[in-house]
Amino acid sequence: MTSKIAIHTMWSNVRIATMDARLGASYGLIDDAALITNADGTIVWVGRRDEVPAAVVATVISEFDLGGRLMTPGFIDCHTHLVYAGDRSRDFEMRLSGASYAEIARAGGGILSTVRDTRAAEAATLERVSETRLLALAQSGVTTVEIKSGYGLDCGTELAMLRAASALGRLHAIEVHATYLGLHARPPEFANADDYVTFVIEEMLPVIAREGLANAVDAFCETIAFSPAQISRYFDAARDLGFELRLHADQLSDGGGAALAARYGALSADHLEHASEKGLAALAASGTVAVLLPGATYFLRETKLPPIDAFRRLGIPFAIATDCNPGTAPLVSMPLALNLACTIFRITPEEALAGVTRNAAKALGIAERAGTLAAGRNADFAVWDVERPAELAYAIGAPPPYLISRRGTIFGGT
């Protein structure tokens, strides 16, 4: 059940982890705070409760006492593949029995098995099964989510995936950013990867741009997927059509993905476990955000970890995402992603929380309106029954939020 908050609303008696680095405090934390929102779902004022200006107090029509709970920005899941049909539990069983990626693929598993299931699904079915995953993320505190296509690899199914993503955003109080993952894998009907790249450039990108179905494109840069030269052709065409760029980079080997993402000024380079020092230096210079995916590391039992110390040393901002997908990260809990990131990657709870708020916003190109709680930003926030922000990462899957606000629509609690 949802309800629209009144003009001007004060949220008080709350500790606010603003995640605003300009405040200088850990987590941008304000004790005994108040946050005031307007009818447009925008933050009007945030600060200590005893410092709210009288002129602002005079505009308040309703007030919610949050009982000393903790407020954070709404979580931003900046890397998911949540629109798909079928599952890969058989792959999971085979991998635990010792089968290699190649053996699983030869047995009919892998990405192409999800392609088969997704192509076979009716549009309504695809939307329904994906909605379940989206709602699970939303109930874990996510107010903004990026959704990639890439399990169709043909015109009809890719368009259906992107339309499903857009429909889910309209149906639910969650902001959806759709990404066309055109170069995910070579579909079986194309014998030559270069021919498939040409098909994507000439047949797919213009349609997606014309219909406004995605604002960004992505590709899988890897020896088992697509080369930097092939991705460069794709990126050139996409950029000419006004798309933002993202890249799956250096996950399995150092294929030059980090440097490629930096050269194109991509919003994000994701995975990066095998990125070279040269590639990382290029990322630092470009401002591209590194997106880390601890669910995949955990699920695949990978031992090669992202170069966290290099990110810190070079000043590369890093985000955390679920990577929700059927094959390597069937994860739909952002608090669990926080715990996995801290435990596996040895990052701090504050770094993890920044990774699902302000840095994730930067990875989606929306940092001017989301990811921190400050005047002028969207009123996207979650309120938690915890005292300290670190508790959200400490618990192995924290309890759901007391309430969530997404641009003035509130869920639960009050």
Side-chain angles (χ1 to χ4, degrees):
M1 185 129 187
T2 66
S3 59
K4 195 72 176 176
I5 62 178
I7 310 170
H8 283 226
T9 299
M10 178 185 291
W11 307 84
S12 63
N13 190 16
V14 62
R15 305 183 78 221
I16 302 180
T18 67
M19 302 312 295
D20 188 344
R22 296 172 300 179
L23 298 183
S26 179
Y27 298 97
L29 192 66
I30 305 173
D31 285 312
D32 193 16
L35 181 140
I36 299 172
T37 58
N38 65 19
D40 296 327
T42 302
I43 298 171
V44 174
W45 191 90
V46 61
R48 285 187 53 83
R49 179 166 46 163
D50 58 7
E51 295 177 355
V52 184
V56 175
V57 173
T59 69
V60 172
I61 291 177
S62 59
E63 180 175 356
F64 291 101
D65 185 321
L66 293 175
R69 293 178 174 88
L70 177 75
M71 178 186 291
T72 68
F75 293 159
I76 299 169
D77 197 348
C78 62
H79 181 130
T80 83
H81 306 251
L82 69 80
V83 172
Y84 63 86
D87 72 78
R88 302 255 283 279
S89 57
R90 184 167 176 266
D91 292 13
F92 181 61
E93 288 181 311
M94 292 181 66
R95 187 164 57 250
L96 292 175
S97 297
S100 68
Y101 183 93
E103 289 168 336
I104 292 170
R106 283 195 296 271
I111 290 175
L112 293 183
S113 70
T114 301
V115 171
R116 288 193 299 272
D117 290 339
T118 304
R119 286 181 175 183
E122 297 287 341
T125 300
L126 185 62
E127 186 175 319
R128 176 177 53 80
V129 297
S130 302
E131 181 180 41
T132 300
R133 293 183 281 269
L134 180 78
L135 291 177
L137 283 174
Q139 289 159 9
S140 77
V142 172
T143 54
T144 302
V145 63
E146 185 258 12
I147 301 176
K148 304 178 191 296
S149 66
Y151 289 126
L153 307 181
D154 62 8
C155 188
T157 314
E158 288 291 310
L159 295 179
M161 293 182 71
L162 293 170
R163 288 172 182 144
S166 297
L168 291 173
R170 290 192 300 271
L171 285 170
H172 301 287
I174 188 165
E175 182 174 327
V176 170
H177 290 251
T179 297
Y180 173 50
L181 178 51
L183 302 189
H184 194 195
R186 177 179 58 81
E189 59 268 26
F190 281 86
N192 184 285
D194 287 326
D195 290 343
Y196 175 63
V197 174
T198 298
F199 162 77
V200 165
I201 291 170
E202 296 181 356
E203 303 296 331
M204 291 299 302
L205 287 176
V207 175
I208 294 167
R210 185 168 60 249
E211 296 192 19
L213 292 174
N215 68 335
V217 303
D218 198 346
F220 186 18
C221 184
E222 195 57 67
T223 54
I224 63 170
F226 296 91
S227 69
Q230 291 165 334
I231 294 169
S232 291
R233 288 179 56 207
Y234 170 64
F235 275 4
D236 286 338
R239 191 168 55 182
D240 287 346
L241 289 169
F243 289 102
E244 297 283 4
L245 309 176
R246 317 187 200 283
L247 188 65
H248 285 61
D250 303 331
Q251 178 185 9
L252 306 175
S253 63
D254 177 16
L260 179 65
R263 178 158 59 89
Y264 278 91
L267 285 175
S268 71
D270 304 31
H271 287 291
L272 296 171
E273 287 87 342
H274 293 266
S276 68
E277 186 72 18
K278 181 178 179 181
L280 294 175
L283 283 183
S286 71
T288 297
V289 177
V291 177
L292 311 185
L293 306 165
T297 300
Y298 166 80
F299 197 74
L300 295 174
R301 296 183 294 176
E302 293 285 354
T303 56
K304 180 69 172 176
L305 305 181
I308 301 296
D309 287 342
F311 295 154
R312 292 168 174 152
R313 172 169 45 83
L314 295 169
I316 298 172
F318 54 89
I320 307 295
T322 64
D323 194 18
C324 173
N325 75 75
T328 64
L331 173 61
V332 289
S333 168
M334 189 60 88
L336 180 53
L338 289 174
N339 177 269
L340 292 174
C342 292
T343 303
I344 299 172
F345 298 159
R346 298 294 192 267
I347 66 174
T348 68
E350 185 171 1
E351 288 174 326
L353 194 56
V356 299
T357 55
R358 65 170 182 259
N359 289 345
K362 186 175 181 182
L364 292 183
I366 57 171
E368 77 288 347
R369 57 185 172 86
T372 57
L373 297 177
R377 299 294 201 274
N378 292 348
D380 294 352
F381 57 80
V383 178
W384 308 85
D385 270 314
V386 301
E387 181 179 352
R388 303 178 63 247
E391 292 180 57
L392 299 176
Y394 159 74
I396 305 176
Y402 172 72
L403 65 81
I404 304 167
S405 167
R406 164 68 190 132
R407 293 298 307 270
T409 298
I410 58 175
F411 301 80
T414 55

